[in-house]
Amino acid sequence: MILLHPSSRAGVPALETISKAVDALPNKSGEDQAKRAVLEIALERAKASTEAGIPEKAASLLADIEAAMEVSSATMARQATTDSPHIAAIKPVPVTVDNPYLDALAAWGNKMLAKPENPWARATPTTVVMKGLTTREVGEEIRNCVWLYANPASPLRGNGELLKRLLRRCHAFIDAANLDRDPAAKAKTAVYDQFATEAGFSGLIEFISLYPGLLLPSQRTEWDSGLQAAFDKIWSEAKGANNWNLNIETARMVAVLHFGYYHKKQEVIDKVLRHVDVTISKMKPDGAFPYNGDSNPSCNYHGAIVGSLSKIYDISGHQPIAKALAATQWKGPVMGRTDEFWTSPFHKTFRWNYERGTENANQLVLALSRNPYANFLRGKSGGPYRDSISWYRGDLPSKPMPDHYTIIDRNVEGPRAWYGRFNYAATYHSKSPTENITGGHETLMGCMTVDDPNGRVNSILVNAAPRVKVAKQDLKDAKGIPQSTAWAQLSAGLKGVYLTGRHYSASAATYSLTTTRAWAYQGKMTDWQSRQVWLGLPDRIIGLLSTVPTKEGAQAFEINTVLRLISGGTAGAVLCKKLVKTGENRYRYGELDIIVHQSNFAAITEELLPYRRKHYPASELTFRARPGVHETPKTYTASTRFQCVVEVRPIWAEGEAKLAASHENHLLKLHALLHGKRWHILFNAGDKATTVQLPANSGPDIRRSLRVSDLHQGLPNKVLRRSVTLAPQQEAVLIESADPIDHLPGWPSFEAMVGHKESP
């Protein structure tokens, strides 16, 4: 026992004396290393407490260290025997040789240990240690370090230096939780960010459950207090979760479930599993989860939900999760070789970016489904993802992704096509009428080129849509948050139809335009409507975009149709491109050419606009009905039509398309002639049925077939009549082609195209 004079207990003499005693401790065995690591970190925190003006905390730690000197290393370092399922960190690893995830996590741990790390300061009511969302990173580091320190398959198991890194992070999380509930605390740490909570508190509970002896008495008191504060906060939120913010709520549920098992509270466990069941029920037909509510999925956040569900399954064994995760196997293959983000929900189109690759299945999904396409997209290289280590299987089949195809993507309800390095996709998903607060789509159609061989995005048409200025300037709400009240650009009341062939798609839609609230949610409904018709081909997309008033006397300061293009910076491409004019009504943006075939707008301008990072602006081709700055709005008659016909294609596309389009009353027509084939798309945008005369046969040897949406699944039929009657919001496509494949019905899904049956 080290005897200290009471007056010296929290001061420098005490620290120096105890520090020398700790330095003299044996440090050979793993148990000795563990004891020494605990006491060295306690000394660090005693010093940090003194520097932070908390001498009483320093005194308690020094007294604990003094007492712990007499406790055997084996007693302190002993791993607790537990059969509780919430300790996924010690889950057995079936494949320990050539497991890329195990190797990657070990490499991550060694890299961390190779970098010197200074002692961490102690957070106070006016200071933070983990700034901003570094709590997410620290939380993941806690989970990773717990696994590396505890799992029998870890090459760093029992490493004393690793334990020190782990304890610094754990204590910082506990400090933040205790300070968060302190009314006097002015500086808050973001440990309750959903992803920080998911990882950090889950790792803390694993650690305290496995190694209670590695906490000194005063530390255990702080941990008990901090964990209780964290549970009280996130449990109160979890009880009110309504399965709307799916990724946020499900991430927090991971930590909630850990607390449920830790405290042996069945009520908590049951709530998490009920939430899981409802979340699973919202899955799209091709295996994607909505961003929120029943909206479209968004790249990055579908993967976040799958990751959270995988963690919940790992510790609960809840069987509905296994079935649901197996169904997510198709999400990646349906998206294709590289994720796009223009079909992401509402105004956040420009925020969720994916540089290359796709949100494909994790190792749990692959183990459950054995999907060869998902396994191919995942690739052979692993990452430092501890949750994949135990699920990795080296014998899974792999099959390269197909190419040159058009399918229906049932996750976003629209056509999706991949032809070499060119990709397009459209979404016609309409939100639930009960979800009034969410915004609609910013665009229905987009396209991009990607690089070979890695699939990195190159040039992206991220927006092709109308934009109407209905107020003089944007306003802010009571909290100072900008409200996009000036420009209406989100869809509301969307009604869309689409048909696909083996190598084409024809789609059309009407929707009202609404302003945006808080950059994401539906704002004010306007008196303007968008009507669009799109033809998708293997090497181009062709669109008729028309903006019309919904009543007599509709007003607007300005009416635009916008083609927005992005590339560099957070958009993911190597270089940022700039839109340039290459000829009369012709423009080029990197690897995309834009041809304007028709326009009744007063002007067409090329713009550079800020896009997230200063040196990577977006380019816009802007069709302007009323150029300039106007102090007052203009009033329009109900018969007003502002429309354009545009073609967007990769620079390697061959052949010049001949196009004709019209918008008569509520009937939109788009005609295209290319490579000796003709497509005639007819769309009734009105609320009454209309009869349309079909174009005459272009030649005796040309086969014709007619497809009508919502009629016998839109299957092609021989044209035996001269007219077709279209119901409201119905579309007809007349195809004239000598190639038999153009008269075949399209693939209803990726799964149908590759001939796979659903997994049991």
Side-chain angles (χ1 to χ4, degrees), residues 308-329:
S308 297
L309 290 176
S310 297
K311 294 181 181 73
I312 292 172
Y313 178 71
D314 256 350
I315 64 177
S316 71
H318 189 53
Q319 283 305 303
I321 300 177
K323 183 177 180 180
L325 289 176
T328 68
Q329 63 183 286

Side-chain angles (χ1 to χ4, degrees), residues 261-326:
Y261 284 118
Y262 179 64
H263 291 306
K264 295 181 171 56
K265 290 181 178 288
Q266 192 62 41
E267 173 194 9
V268 175
I269 297 169
D270 291 345
K271 168 61 181 177
V272 173
L273 299 184
R274 287 196 303 271
H275 169 89
V276 163
D277 290 342
V278 176
T279 297
I280 287 171
S281 72
K282 293 177 177 289
M283 186 190 297
K284 303 290 185 177
D286 279 325
F289 286 104
Y291 173 71
N292 55 24
D294 73 343
S295 69
N296 276 3
S298 172
C299 59
N300 294 313
Y301 291 93
H302 162 83
I305 295 172
V306 169
S308 297
L309 290 176
S310 297
K311 294 181 181 73
I312 292 172
Y313 178 71
D314 256 350
I315 64 177
S316 71
H318 189 53
Q319 283 305 303
I321 300 177
K323 183 177 180 180
L325 289 176

Side-chain angles (χ1 to χ4, degrees), residues 76 87 106 166 179 227 249 273 398 404 466 480 509 536 614 618-619 689:
M76 290 183 66
I87 315 297
L166 172 58
L179 287 168
L227 289 176
E249 294 175 359
L273 299 184
S398 179
H404 295 81
K614 181 179 180 180
S619 287

Side-chain angles (χ1 to χ4, degrees), residues 330 333 336-337 371-380 396-405 750 753-754 756:
W330 293 109
R337 64 188 293 192
N371 187 304
Y373 300 102
N375 193 32
F376 174 81
L377 288 171
R378 167 57 64 180
K380 295 186 180 301
L396 297 178
S398 179
K399 185 178 291 186
M401 286 285 293
D403 197 0
H404 295 81
Y405 63 85
F750 180 92
M753 181 182 69
V754 298
H756 275 261

Side-chain angles (χ1 to χ4, degrees), residues 33 68 78 92 107 190 200 205 228 319 322 547 610 613 619 743:
Q33 290 181 28
R78 184 180 298 116
I205 290 173
Q228 188 62 49
Q319 283 305 303
T547 306
R613 290 184 178 175
S619 287
H743 302 279

Side-chain angles (χ1 to χ4, degrees), residues 665-686:
N665 295 321
H666 300 295
L667 180 65
L668 282 73
K669 300 179 181 178
L670 177 62
H671 309 277
L673 169 61
L674 180 65
H675 302 314
K677 304 176 182 182
R678 297 177 187 268
W679 286 267
H680 309 276
I681 306 176
L682 313 171
F683 175 56
N684 180 9

